Amino acid sequence: MGLLRFKKKKIIGAALGSGGAKGMAHLGALQALNESGVCIEAYAGTSAGSIVGALCANGYTPADIRQLLAHLDYKGLALSVLTAGSLRPAFAVLEDVMGESEFSELKLPFAAVATDASTGEEIVLRSGSVTRAVLASSAMPPFFRGVEADGRKLIDGAFCNAVPGDVARSLGADFVIGIALSPVSSYCCGEWITTSGKRIAMRQTGFRGCDILLEPDLAAYAATDVFGGARMYDIGYECAMRRMPEIMRLLREKSISGGIRGSF
């Protein structure tokens, strides 16, 4: 009797980049992928991308998240955040949706990327409180305080890995779709000033872990443009739809059909 051999199902992952309010473009791009039958089964996110990734990994669709955001009082929330000097008021909203979820309770693999404020080291968060991890990944100084974790102060992951394609791959993704809310050329070379004043050259390479990288044109928007969300959503959607033939071709070439609803 011959041995039965089972092929491992190939997984499609998403690497969702940083960008504040421009994260609405993530929802548009993910909606386009969803409508086209592309099933994302692992999420890695930085800053705004970590918020979207956490919600998606917990089972929310892009349409669900857009509906949740439509009911937010942005002016009141912004005032609370600025008064507190922390994103904690905003993440109280996330806790209302997610509950006190631990990473182990999520429906799909998820990781959030943060930066060690003292060293500039990349910290990949994959255990413990999901909301706390997302808060650390999104804490952009000097506006928001960092998050203490295991003796480290963690801040926004955009400083070390703005589009974490390599992290998505480490979650088991065989094919990674990255979404960059700013041109990745701006991440290639930079400088980090530690809390002690030491200057460290930073060269990001995480985005190179993506098999395809979507770069919606958001040059007209800032990370604080919370009232431009509808148009940014459309830009993300249109960008993904333009690249859909290329995405499908690459999936065919890599023989990845498990993450596609229906046939090619």
Side-chain angles (χ1 to χ4, degrees):
M1 181 176 178
L3 293 175
L4 293 176
R5 296 182 180 180
F6 297 94
K7 289 185 178 179
K8 172 184 172 290
K9 176 187 174 184
K10 293 185 177 180
I11 292 174
I12 302 172
L16 307 178
S18 62
K22 293 190 287 185
M24 283 297 293
H26 284 319
L27 297 179
L30 291 171
Q31 180 64 24
L33 292 166
N34 189 44
E35 289 178 10
S36 301
V38 179
C39 301
I40 306 297
E41 296 182 277
Y43 293 88
T46 298
S47 197
S50 73
I51 301 171
V52 175
L55 289 167
C56 289
N58 203 41
Y60 289 91
T61 68
D64 293 334
I65 301 169
R66 192 181 188 192
Q67 188 67 22
L68 289 169
L69 294 175
H71 291 92
L72 287 183
D73 173 12
Y74 287 104
K75 287 184 178 179
L77 188 59
L79 180 61
S80 298
V81 166
L82 291 173
T83 301
S86 166
L87 285 170
R88 173 53 63 185
F91 284 89
V93 177
L94 183 62
E95 285 179 329
D96 286 343
V97 177
M98 297 280 293
E100 298 180 1
S101 295
E102 300 279 314
F103 277 79
S104 59
E105 298 172 318
L106 294 175
K107 295 177 174 63
L108 295 171
F110 167 65
V113 176
T115 305
D116 185 318
S118 297
T119 65
E121 179 186 356
E122 176 183 343
I123 306 296
V124 178
L125 301 168
R126 293 187 58 184
S127 63
S129 165
V130 176
T131 300
R132 186 172 178 80
V134 171
L135 179 61
S137 181
S138 307
M140 177 64 74
F143 306 106
F144 308 120
R145 293 188 294 272
V147 174
E148 297 291 338
D150 298 325
R152 301 173 183 256
K153 178 175 282 189
L154 304 183
I155 59 173
D156 201 300
F159 296 108
C160 62
N161 195 351
V163 186
D166 54 343
V167 177
R169 200 166 291 282
S170 75
L171 294 174
D174 301 284
F175 186 91
V176 178
I177 300 170
I179 306 173
L181 304 179
S182 298
V184 294
S185 58
S186 64
Y187 305 133
C188 292
C189 297
E191 188 176 65
W192 172 258
I193 302 176
T194 69
T195 50
S196 64
K198 182 179 179 181
R199 295 177 180 270
I200 301 173
M202 301 285 282
R203 292 179 175 81
Q204 296 194 21
T205 59
F207 61 87
R208 294 177 183 164
C210 300
D211 292 278
I212 191 163
L213 187 61
L214 306 180
E215 295 184 88
D217 184 1
L218 300 167
Y221 299 92
T224 54
D225 284 336
V226 293
F227 297 107
R231 181 57 192 142
M232 288 188 279
Y233 176 96
D234 290 342
I235 291 171
Y237 181 92
E238 292 158 5
C239 174
M241 280 301 190
R242 281 195 304 272
R243 301 287 299 278
M244 203 61 66
E246 182 183 359
I247 293 171
M248 293 301 190
R249 175 180 60 77
L250 290 172
L251 290 170
R252 283 196 300 270
E253 289 176 358
K254 292 180 177 289
S255 301
I256 299 176
S257 58
I260 305 297
R261 291 193 301 274
S263 63
F264 285 105

